[in-house]
Amino acid sequence: MSNSINDRINRLRSRRSGLDRTSVITMDAKNFIVNHSLTQEAWERRAKDKPNTTFALGAMQEVDPIYTRISLETADRVSNQLTKRMSGNMEFELQGSVPLNVHIRGVSDVDVLALEADFHTYDTRGAISRSGQYNSPTTRTSVGVLTARRAEISRVLREAFPAATVDTSSSKAIKLLGGSLARPVDVVPSHWHDTIEYQASRQKHDRAVTILDSHKIITLENWPFLHIKKVRERCESTGGGLRKSIRLCKNLKAELEAEGRSVTISSFDIASIMYHANMASLTVGSLYELAILAEAQRHLDYLWNHKEEARRLIVPDGSRFIFDAEEKFTGLLQLSVAMDNLLREVAKEQNYLLSLSEKPLLDVSREAVIRSAVL
């Protein structure tokens, strides 16, 4: 697939409008997307005759709130059907890119945690446990409870959405798509785990979630709400710059994959990487957005050239190191090189003298981009 900048802009438009995924949604949603895509977005008009700058700016922007609202409404619709049809009590929460507003697709999968309300585990070292406030121990196990729920959720989704596809091939999420659904929805069978921190604070962000790996028949603990809280708070301190840097990296990864290259680093890890960028530099992006491109390039380049420091970086929820597998450095390199190239091309568009050089120095390119005021 072509990697010309005009093709990248067209694919960016397609991702943002949802035209790239019309095969997995209802006809009504498809018609809306086709009609809505005819309207030009603001970023497309901000840097005339500077296509690389146009792409960089567009890649940072949030998805149209109308699309996000439809995603949230679709998640609610699925949750409501599960509430009505399933045995016992369930709770439903959203996790992932959509509630954090770092998703890059108009038609984005929505992650729904289907939480068993009548079963949870807890750390026995916590204050609530030590005070004896939990119920008596049960013979039920996390694996047993979640395996049964997974089977029931799969069955109920097929009954509630007979025209949709229920894909159970993933070890963690049950994917629901097509039929009458305006968006694909991933349903994750899970239950709460009350950590030491949660037992002290009673705050949802300190509460862990236990999910099932149905292939390995084991459970895993995640902290999705702590991740959302940490990234959201840091983003607010930058005037939105952190989210923009995450979207920029994710869109660039999507472009590399569209061009046939596999990028061995996840969206979660990309968010975690940018969480450790220079927040002061990202804050400059609230006035001059191209400063976000400059900081994203600097940060990725720095981590590649200082791997021991990169290895010490921890994900925002504190659960693990970001670079907990060596192959992630391959993904980092691919993303870093692509960001280098984008920075240089944008710098050439902003500075005539740099346009005379085939490969201007990165430091010089960053300086040219930071000083650029694209309104």
Side-chain angles (χ1 to χ4, degrees):
M1 188 174 289
S2 173
N3 61 355
S4 75
I5 188 57
N6 288 327
D7 287 324
R8 283 187 168 186
I9 290 172
N10 288 333
R11 287 193 294 266
L12 176 62
R13 287 193 188 108
S14 183
R15 272 196 304 279
R16 292 178 57 80
S17 69
L19 286 173
D20 64 324
R21 306 189 77 189
T22 54
S23 62
V24 299
I25 57 176
T26 181
M27 183 59 70
D28 288 344
K30 186 184 301 184
N31 290 337
F32 171 83
I33 284 171
V34 171
N35 292 330
H36 202 65
S37 68
L38 299 176
T39 303
Q40 218 180 31
E41 292 190 271
W43 59 269
E44 300 180 71
R45 302 185 294 271
R46 289 174 58 191
K48 292 180 180 179
D49 303 320
K50 297 177 179 178
N52 291 282
T53 303
T54 296
F55 173 82
L57 292 171
M60 297 179 197
Q61 308 308 315
E62 69 175 332
V63 169
D64 188 324
I66 294 175
Y67 287 86
T68 301
R69 175 178 57 78
I70 294 171
S71 296
L72 298 175
E73 289 172 351
T74 305
D76 284 343
R77 182 183 170 203
V78 172
S79 298
N80 289 337
Q81 285 298 315
L82 290 171
T83 299
K84 293 176 185 177
R85 294 167 179 262
M86 290 187 66
S87 62
N89 296 318
M90 300 292 295
E91 298 175 21
F92 298 94
E93 299 279 355
L94 296 183
Q95 67 171 1
S97 297
V98 172
L100 188 52
N101 194 18
V102 293
H103 54 300
I104 61 171
R105 297 182 184 278
V107 176
S108 183
D109 293 14
V110 193
D111 287 350
V112 177
L113 291 168
L115 292 145
E116 173 67 54
D118 299 326
F119 177 90
H120 69 274
T121 53
Y122 57 90
D123 193 312
T124 57
R125 298 168 295 173
I128 299 177
S129 174
R130 287 188 285 105
S131 64
Q133 296 180 51
Y134 285 114
N135 294 329
S136 300
T138 176
T139 57
R140 301 168 73 197
T141 66
S142 292
V143 168
V145 168
L146 295 181
T147 298
R149 277 302 190 192
R150 180 180 174 88
E152 184 180 13
I153 290 170
S154 301
R155 175 180 59 78
V156 167
L157 289 176
R158 290 188 176 95
E159 293 173 354
F161 302 96
T165 298
V166 178
D167 182 357
T168 60
S169 61
S170 169
S171 63
K172 300 177 182 70
I174 301 164
K175 182 176 289 293
L176 181 68
L177 70 160
S180 62
L181 292 169
R183 296 290 185 273
V185 177
D186 291 338
V187 181
V188 183
S190 50
H191 68 71
W192 294 111
H193 174 73
D194 294 357
T195 62
I196 294 174
E197 294 77 12
Y198 172 76
Q199 292 181 52
S201 71
R202 303 294 183 96
Q203 298 296 309
K204 185 174 76 173
H205 61 258
D206 286 326
R207 209 174 191 189
V209 170
T210 300
I211 66 173
L212 175 71
D213 184 325
S214 62
H215 294 172
K216 297 179 180 178
I217 319 299
I218 59 173
T219 57
L220 307 166
E221 286 180 9
N222 291 333
W223 286 260
F225 310 111
L226 185 57
H227 174 79
I228 289 173
K229 176 179 182 291
K230 292 281 192 179
V231 175
R232 180 179 288 152
E233 288 178 348
R234 188 160 288 190
C235 182
E236 289 171 356
S237 76
T238 65
L242 176 55
R243 279 194 181 94
K244 289 180 179 180
S245 72
I246 294 169
R247 296 187 200 111
L248 172 62
C249 291
K250 289 175 65 173
N251 269 305
L252 201 50
K253 176 191 174 184
E255 284 305 312
L256 293 175
E257 291 174 339
E259 292 159 11
R261 285 170 278 181
S262 175
V263 183
T264 54
I265 196 162
S266 70
S267 294
F268 180 86
D269 287 331
I270 286 175
S272 299
I273 287 169
M274 296 314 300
Y275 181 82
H276 292 283
N278 186 304
M279 294 302 113
S281 297
L282 291 181
T283 302
V284 174
S286 62
L287 294 175
Y288 305 112
E289 285 186 286
L290 290 180
I292 294 170
L293 165 63
E295 173 54 19
Q297 181 279 323
R298 183 209 64 80
H299 185 54
L300 295 175
D301 186 63
Y302 182 87
L303 293 182
W304 170 253
N305 287 295
H306 297 82
K307 294 188 184 63
E308 288 309 309
E309 287 189 46
R311 288 189 177 95
R312 292 195 289 270
L313 295 182
I314 297 174
V315 297
D317 65 26
S319 61
R320 63 169 173 82
F321 293 105
I322 299 174
F323 293 96
D324 56 353
E326 284 301 303
E327 59 263 26
K328 290 185 180 181
F329 281 108
T330 302
L332 172 64
L333 176 60
Q334 293 168 308
L335 192 58
S336 179
V337 170
M339 198 70 75
D340 290 349
N341 294 335
L342 178 61
L343 176 78
R344 287 191 175 102
E345 293 306 313
V346 171
K348 289 179 185 179
E349 292 176 348
Q350 303 303 316
N351 186 301
Y352 172 74
L353 292 178
L354 292 183
S355 69
L356 302 177
S357 172
E358 182 179 348
K359 196 173 183 179
L361 295 173
L362 290 170
D363 288 347
V364 176
S365 296
R366 276 198 303 273
E367 188 66 23
V369 165
I370 290 170
R371 291 178 178 275
S372 301
V374 180
L375 302 178

